[in-house]
Amino acid sequence: MNRYMKLVNFEFNRFIKLYFVLIAFTIVVQLSGVVVKSKSYLNGANEAIKESMLTKSEYVIQYGPMSFIDISMSPWIMGPIALCAITLVIYVFFIWYRDWVGKNTFSYRLFMLPTARLNIYLAKATTILLFVLGLIALQLVLLPIENQIFKWMVEDVYRIDLSVLEIANQYYLNLLFPKNILEFILFYGAGMTAVTMVFTAILFERSYRIKGIFYGIVYCAVSILIFLAPLLLQASLLENYFYPMELLFLEIAACVIVLAGAIWIGNLLIKNKVRV
Amino acid sequence: MIEVKNVAKKFGRKKVLKDVSFTAEKGKITCLIGINGVGKTTILKAIMGLTPYESGEILINGEKIHPATYEKITFIPDTITMLPNMKIREAFTFMVDFYDSWNSERASELLKFFRLNEDDRISELSKGNTAKVNLILGLALDVDYVLMDEPFSGIDIFSREQIADVFTSHLIEDRGVIITTHEINDIEHLIDKAVLLDNGVILKEFDTEEVRENEGKSVIDVMREVYQA
Amino acid sequence: MKRYWKILLLSIITLVVIGSFYIQASLAAKNTVQLKLEKRSGNEEELKGLSIHGDYGSGNLTQSFVHEADGETRILSGLSLIEEFTTSYTVPVIDKLIEEHRSFMRGKDLSPNYFFENESLVVYAGVKRDYKYNSIDFSFDIDVLDKKSNEVKSIPLDLSDTETYGWYDVIDVGVVDGQLKLITRSSLVIGGEEVNVYTFDIEKEKLLGTEKLISTITKDNSWTELSIISNSSSIEQEKYILFTTEILKDIEKDGNYVQEATGHEVQVYNIETNQLKKIDVRDELFNSIYWSTIVDSKLYISTPMEKGIEVIQYDIETDKWGEKSIIDLPKYKNGYESIYTTLMNGKIYASYLTDDGHELYIGDLRTGKSLYEGKIKVSNNPNKTEALYIHYIE
């Protein structure tokens, strides 16, 4: 197994404990959320039925039925997702700084490994990608389970059944699950481009310290400008010159340029400029 | 041979190294001497490619540093270069994974010599024992050159003796060693070559044996001359 | 390998889960709600080029869709981000123009109002808007493509007094004897609206003249509502454009202000002869004028009735009202949003609700004969409740 793969495995294991905690937290909170939300709907229904002498179907007509969307839009489901997302965003930074912070001189060891230092960069990026996709998969496994629990708990009369696909296509969740595989790749590809951009900005800081923060910000601004260039030109100078499909391809090209630029500059920095 | 040629470096506006040149040969122990903050550690980092420098050149066996060089040269900083939450065994596994030049037999030999236990967690070791593990991580690599940054500073007297013993053993014999210190006493008898540094400048580079034989001076005598002149 | 089990397991599970999700998604994508037209009588050829826009509700989800003539129903709210980005919402005639004159069509505002096409020319006349701090600078953006030589002529024209206009738009483009005619509609900053005709000489690339057709004013509590009735999705020559104005007034009734119409006027403009003519329309017919069309020189106005649609003719040349004809729709169930009618291309299209679903009727205005009648059916409906609203046919 080559050193890149070993590095990925190494970086992976460094975060695995916290990752399992995230997974466990997500499972516990989301499953309890399904139970709590279903119960509270049923309680509301039972009370109203008792008090106002309604039949079940009359209650549904008056107060509306329940669907899984009522659960999936609630903080019970969205909260853990947001927490996982925020944790990973923080880890994009921490995956680098943990080698420097405090008395830790692990960065010495990493940079003295007999392998191209770019491998360290790529391994850290790969690790982030794996963690992101892992959580996406977790959510895809949880949704049908949660949907089933919801069906067990709430009787037919009260319920609007949705398939997992329909649930995943609702707002907010559809940001995690693009409609088709091509879009999934483009979406998460763009996400990884952003991650590498941040990585390279971090390396600017690690190479030039205080001045590096400034370089990093300028670098990010330029990258974002390149990424947006087709859209900005289209909206300003070119006055809708491009047809939508052409614009999409230009956007993909701009994204690839930003990605290649991030890795190229990152490689130069980590090879020649980084300080331990 | 490690050749440091006209290396200059600054941090911001402060010049930490001004035109530093010296060589360190294989089979010899070269000692960089100077008070704290004169740029000793920076020189070691520069040799290892761990910090950039503005001008000059550093060659290892005639080549600039590249990834494979790390199988030939290693650096033992004054703090441990392994994750503190690892057990010694895990640290060794890491080294096996990434270095072809890792010598497992040598590692267990050293472990026995220092009376350390594989199952101990690095973060739970005493300062002296942590320094020993750090030393093993460098010395168990079959490399031509070992760079050590202040191996004796802040360590108890017994550990110090044990570490000093290592220098006279076969573990060091054929290698080239660069060691830094601000306190020469403990190792004066060990070193073959001394490089006196002050304010980022090399004041004197000399062969300790030669000076002793020809001029009848100890390293400390020379230091006194150079620094108090 | 033993040390790698965690990462391998996670990678494999991830791959399998995400992979199967998208395989399922792609299978389900072929399985969405589909509209089907079931012929009962008439000719299926009539459905060619027709697209039906509507909303379909099942459960508590409502989805907008477009049903194309080729039999495919696209769920608009189900579009993916990229599809949404790349789907053209342009009408077929514009799509055809893009296909044929890709570079000429670049950067143009793709509303059919701005285009005109005949055998030899494609004309684009849009309005450029330069947004200033508290006003908009309007100017015409006119390009004429000679289909044979592929030459493009641009006629520049800055509008004067643009600061007095709040909005400026082109509503129709026509070519009569080598002269380009633009009909524009503009609203004034001080209130009120104008309709102007600009005439250009295409050969000399020069403005020949402008003429104000209609102008309306706004007073304290009364204003005039102007409507323009022309076939907005057509880029061919239209001879007539219909204008209606209705004077509305705010009137206090039991403490609340309500709008009341105090007068109305219908005028027809003949692009070829440059003539504006008044049409005398009965009060009760006035609101039906929105469901009207002009075929040859006849205006057809449709009004829904209890069990069908009434169509009234008016001859523009002779200024005479013609006979009424009645389209019987015996199963029509009167109710909220239960019928949609549109008149275009000399035909009347109506989709209406019956006790067992929706029906589509296509009739010829000139002969008053039925051309097509059929049922609109929904397949692949996953849910027990459903609701179908048809709100646009083109």
Side-chain angles (χ1 to χ4, degrees):
Chain A
M1 210 174 282
N2 67 26
R3 290 194 172 99
Y4 160 73
M5 297 296 279
K6 284 175 181 168
L7 274 171
V8 173
N9 184 50
F10 175 74
E11 290 287 352
F12 182 82
N13 284 326
R14 281 175 91 184
F15 189 62
I16 194 80
K17 275 191 196 137
L18 194 58
Y19 192 62
F20 280 143
V21 171
L22 275 182
I23 289 177
F25 177 81
T26 304
I27 293 173
V28 170
V29 174
Q30 291 200 347
L31 293 187
S32 348
V34 177
V35 174
V36 170
K37 290 292 267 185
S38 304
K39 271 252 166 70
S40 84
Y41 177 88
L42 288 177
N43 285 343
N46 287 337
E47 252 168 59
I49 287 168
K50 236 186 256 161
E51 273 172 26
S52 341
M53 309 288 274
L54 295 171
T55 64
K56 287 176 180 176
S57 47
E58 279 168 345
Y59 177 82
V60 171
I61 290 164
Q62 261 188 43
Y63 296 93
M66 187 180 181
S67 79
F68 192 79
I69 308 268
D70 297 322
I71 299 171
S72 67
M73 294 284 274
S74 74
W76 290 97
I77 301 288
M78 286 303 166
I81 291 174
L83 183 85
C84 289
I86 292 167
T87 308
L88 284 179
V89 167
I90 293 170
Y91 197 61
V92 165
F93 290 88
F94 193 55
I95 201 172
W96 286 100
Y97 284 104
R98 67 185 302 179
D99 294 330
W100 271 271
V101 288
K103 278 201 274 172
N104 202 337
T105 50
F106 194 70
S107 57
Y108 286 63
R109 179 55 59 211
L110 281 180
F111 294 140
M112 292 193 299
L113 293 177
T115 173
R117 286 186 188 166
L118 183 63
N119 281 339
I120 297 165
Y121 182 102
L122 295 177
K124 285 184 191 288
T126 311
T127 309
I128 297 285
L129 179 67
L130 271 178
F131 283 137
V132 170
L133 296 184
L135 288 176
I136 295 296
L138 171 72
Q139 197 57 59
L140 284 178
V141 171
L142 279 177
L143 282 179
I145 297 173
E146 290 161 0
N147 202 15
Q148 194 55 51
I149 295 176
F150 165 67
K151 283 182 189 168
W152 280 331
M153 289 196 60
V154 180
E155 337 165 28
D156 286 21
V157 254
Y158 293 133
R159 225 170 55 209
I160 290 168
D161 286 344
L162 296 170
S163 69
V164 172
L165 277 173
E166 285 171 313
I167 295 167
N169 281 343
Q170 291 309 305
Y171 193 52
Y172 291 141
L173 280 181
N174 65 358
L175 297 176
L176 295 182
F177 312 111
K179 278 271 154 56
N180 54 51
I181 192 73
L182 182 76
E183 222 161 278
F184 183 87
I185 292 166
L186 290 179
F187 189 85
Y188 285 95
M192 282 314 291
T193 304
V195 169
T196 55
M197 184 187 83
V198 173
F199 273 16
T200 298
I202 291 170
L203 285 175
F204 266 112
E205 191 279 330
R206 288 288 83 192
S207 299
Y208 301 100
R209 305 292 151 110
I210 301 214
K211 254 195 265 166
I213 297 176
F214 174 72
Y215 295 157
I217 291 170
V218 170
Y219 157 77
C220 284
V222 170
S223 291
I224 292 168
L225 200 69
I226 292 172
F227 179 74
L228 294 179
L231 294 176
L232 293 176
L233 285 177
Q234 173 84 338
S236 60
L237 282 178
L238 296 177
E239 299 180 329
N240 297 323
Y241 181 82
F242 296 114
Y243 291 115
M245 212 50 172
E246 297 170 339
L247 198 59
L248 176 67
F249 284 118
L250 284 173
E251 230 3 274
I252 293 172
C255 194
V256 170
I257 290 170
V258 171
L259 177 68
I263 294 175
W264 183 65
I265 296 169
N267 183 37
L268 288 182
L269 289 172
I270 202 171
K271 210 166 113 190
N272 304 319
K273 292 291 175 200
V274 79
R275 279 193 234 165
V276 293
Chain B
M1 194 164 61
I2 297 174
E3 296 161 86
V4 177
K5 296 184 197 165
N6 310 105
V7 169
K9 172 176 176 68
K10 27 179 197 183
F11 280 126
R13 273 197 215 108
K14 194 186 160 221
K15 287 185 179 166
V16 276
L17 300 179
K18 309 164 196 161
D19 195 26
V20 168
S21 301
F22 68 93
T23 59
E25 287 82 28
K26 222 184 151 193
K28 279 189 180 172
I29 299 179
T30 304
C31 189
L32 295 178
I33 306 169
I35 53 164
N36 285 334
V38 292
K40 290 169 297 178
T41 308
T42 308
I43 292 173
L44 296 190
K45 285 185 187 170
I47 294 171
M48 291 308 289
L50 295 175
T51 196
Y53 44 91
E54 278 86 46
S55 61
E57 187 179 41
I58 298 173
L59 299 176
I60 297 155
N61 289 342
E63 289 177 329
K64 285 196 165 184
I65 200 154
H66 55 91
T69 316
Y70 294 113
E71 299 275 18
K72 294 261 185 287
I73 183 167
T74 196
F75 176 37
I76 306 170
D78 59 353
T79 48
I80 189 148
T81 54
M82 225 359 114
L83 296 180
N85 59 356
M86 277 184 169
K87 289 178 177 174
I88 295 177
R89 189 208 315 277
E90 289 166 341
F92 285 2
T93 311
F94 180 90
M95 298 302 282
V96 176
D97 270 355
F98 288 100
Y99 291 91
D100 293 336
S101 58
W102 180 255
N103 186 330
S104 292
E105 270 167 49
R106 172 101 51 83
S108 25
E109 198 184 314
L110 277 160
L111 206 63
K112 220 184 287 165
F113 176 79
F114 286 132
R115 293 195 213 102
L116 292 167
N117 187 341
E118 270 200 323
D119 291 319
D120 286 343
R121 206 169 284 284
I122 290 170
S123 56
E124 287 160 7
L125 294 173
S126 70
K127 215 170 172 189
N129 282 348
T130 311
K132 287 173 198 167
V133 174
N134 203 20
L135 209 59
I136 298 175
L137 294 178
L139 293 178
L141 287 165
D142 282 330
V143 289
D144 295 341
Y145 301 97
V146 181
L147 276 49
M148 285 185 232
D149 194 15
E150 304 272 1
F152 298 103
S153 75
I155 291 170
D156 63 282
I157 182 80
F158 301 108
S159 302
R160 220 185 265 213
E161 275 174 14
Q162 271 186 320
I163 292 171
D165 283 345
V166 170
F167 281 84
T168 51
S169 72
H170 66 283
L171 287 167
I172 290 296
E173 234 161 59
D174 301 325
R175 311 196 196 191
V177 176
I178 301 180
I179 191 168
T180 68
T181 189
H182 62 280
E183 229 276 306
I184 191 73
N185 292 334
D186 289 304
I187 51 164
E188 184 177 354
H189 59 287
L190 298 173
I191 64 179
D192 301 310
K193 191 172 179 182
V195 179
L196 302 187
L197 233 92
D198 198 17
N199 270 326
V201 180
I202 303 274
L203 297 178
K204 195 173 171 76
E205 180 183 1
F206 61 98
D207 195 305
T208 53
E209 205 69 16
E210 253 177 52
V211 170
R212 198 175 299 132
E213 275 176 20
N214 300 348
E215 302 173 33
K217 287 177 192 160
S218 68
V219 176
I220 298 197
D221 294 334
V222 178
M223 280 170 68
R224 206 169 281 133
E225 271 172 31
V226 170
Y227 286 118
Q228 289 174 358
Chain C
M1 275 319 234
K2 235 178 84 192
R3 279 189 291 130
Y4 299 98
W5 71 269
K6 280 184 220 154
I7 194 169
L8 286 175
L9 193 70
L10 182 101
S11 311
I12 291 166
I13 292 176
T14 300
L15 204 69
V16 169
V17 169
I18 294 176
S20 50
F21 176 76
Y22 279 107
I23 289 168
Q24 208 190 333
S26 70
L27 292 178
K30 292 175 191 138
N31 226 4
T32 52
V33 170
Q34 289 290 328
L35 238 59
K36 250 197 194 114
L37 290 168
E38 233 175 57
K39 189 177 88 167
R40 251 214 331 270
S41 68
N43 189 350
E44 272 184 348
E45 284 291 300
E46 293 297 331
L47 300 176
K48 248 186 168 173
L50 202 65
S51 57
I52 300 170
H53 296 241
D55 290 328
Y56 180 75
S58 79
N60 59 354
L61 291 175
T62 303
Q63 302 170 309
S64 301
F65 65 83
V66 182
H67 180 78
E68 300 287 358
D70 54 17
E72 205 196 334
T73 306
R74 277 187 297 148
I75 304 290
L76 293 177
S77 44
L79 291 182
S80 68
L81 277 170
I82 291 175
E83 280 171 331
E84 210 156 285
F85 183 64
T86 53
T87 300
S88 70
Y89 291 100
T90 50
V91 292
V93 278
I94 296 293
D95 291 340
K96 199 171 150 260
L97 276 182
I98 291 175
E99 215 172 279
E100 288 168 359
H101 311 285
R102 199 171 166 85
S103 72
F104 175 75
M105 295 294 284
R106 259 183 206 287
K108 299 210 173 355
D109 212 332
L110 298 176
S111 160
N113 286 350
Y114 303 142
F115 288 92
F116 170 86
E117 186 186 22
N118 63 18
E119 331 60 78
S120 54
L121 293 174
V122 180
V123 180
Y124 169 76
V127 177
K128 263 195 192 153
R129 302 183 180 98
D130 192 3
Y131 290 85
K132 291 279 160 64
Y133 173 63
N134 57 3
S135 66
I136 314 172
D137 260 358
F138 300 98
S139 58
F140 283 126
D141 180 15
I142 304 170
D143 284 328
V144 181
L145 172 76
D146 187 318
K147 281 187 184 174
K148 261 181 229 122
S149 64
N150 245 345
E151 245 174 78
V152 178
K153 270 184 199 155
S154 293
I155 305 174
L157 181 70
D158 286 332
L159 286 160
S160 54
D161 309 331
T162 63
E163 64 281 356
T164 59
Y165 296 111
W167 193 247
Y168 215 100
D169 213 349
V170 172
I171 49 169
D172 199 36
V173 185
V175 174
V176 181
D177 304 328
Q179 288 185 349
L180 172 65
K181 295 206 169 189
L182 302 188
I183 321 268
T184 66
R185 176 181 188 166
S186 46
S187 68
L188 296 163
V189 174
I190 52 159
E193 288 189 281
E194 280 177 4
V195 174
N196 287 295
V197 182
Y198 289 78
T199 312
F200 294 88
D201 187 313
I202 296 177
E203 203 53 48
K204 293 184 185 138
E205 303 177 27
K206 222 179 80 187
L207 178 70
L208 295 176
T210 65
E211 189 185 339
K212 193 174 289 177
L213 285 185
I214 294 173
S215 77
T216 67
I217 47 164
T218 300
K219 279 189 222 145
D220 296 338
N221 56 355
S222 100
W223 67 96
T224 309
E225 212 159 80
L226 170 71
S227 302
I228 294 154
I229 297 154
S230 69
N231 190 351
S232 60
S233 61
S234 153
I235 58 169
E236 284 160 21
Q237 183 74 289
E238 274 169 275
K239 196 172 165 192
Y240 298 104
I241 297 179
L242 208 59
F243 299 102
T244 70
T245 49
E246 189 174 20
I247 300 161
L248 293 167
K249 220 175 189 167
D250 267 340
I251 288 171
E252 205 187 322
K253 247 183 197 169
D254 312 327
N256 293 323
Y257 277 99
V258 286
Q259 287 177 12
E260 207 179 80
T262 55
H264 56 75
E265 198 171 37
V266 178
Q267 285 167 288
V268 67
Y269 175 67
N270 185 328
I271 295 182
E272 285 167 18
T273 61
N274 245 354
Q275 265 181 340
L276 193 65
K277 226 194 303 194
K278 245 188 94 171
I279 299 176
D280 228 354
V281 179
R282 281 180 285 130
D283 284 356
E284 63 271 25
L285 205 56
F286 180 74
N287 281 325
S288 298
I289 208 113
Y290 300 103
W291 293 274
S292 69
T293 188
I294 297 171
V295 187
D296 303 329
S297 59
K298 284 206 175 95
L299 170 70
Y300 294 86
I301 305 172
S302 78
T303 327
M305 304 190 314
E306 187 70 28
K307 290 280 173 214
I309 303 169
E310 183 186 69
V311 180
I312 300 168
Q313 286 181 30
Y314 177 84
D315 193 310
I316 296 169
E317 299 299 317
T318 62
D319 299 333
K320 271 194 187 117
W321 288 95
E323 68 218 69
K324 278 184 205 170
S325 65
I326 296 203
I327 297 165
D328 274 324
L329 304 170
K331 288 202 280 176
Y332 170 50
K333 200 173 95 179
N334 208 339
Y336 174 68
E337 280 199 1
S338 58
I339 188 161
Y340 172 81
T341 352
T342 187
L343 284 75
M344 58 183 184
N345 310 329
K347 291 168 196 165
I348 177 163
Y349 298 81
S351 75
Y352 59 99
L353 188 65
T354 68
D355 279 323
D356 50 87
H358 283 256
E359 299 254 343
L360 177 69
Y361 172 91
I362 304 174
D364 190 315
L365 287 170
R366 271 165 283 211
T367 61
K369 272 188 189 140
S370 157
L371 297 171
Y372 176 93
E373 275 171 73
K375 251 178 112 52
I376 302 174
K377 276 198 162 174
V378 180
S379 60
N380 288 332
N381 173 23
N383 258 302
K384 45 215 171 203
T385 53
E386 59 162 331
L388 183 70
Y389 305 107
I390 288 169
H391 51 65
Y392 196 56
I393 297 179
E394 64 181 14

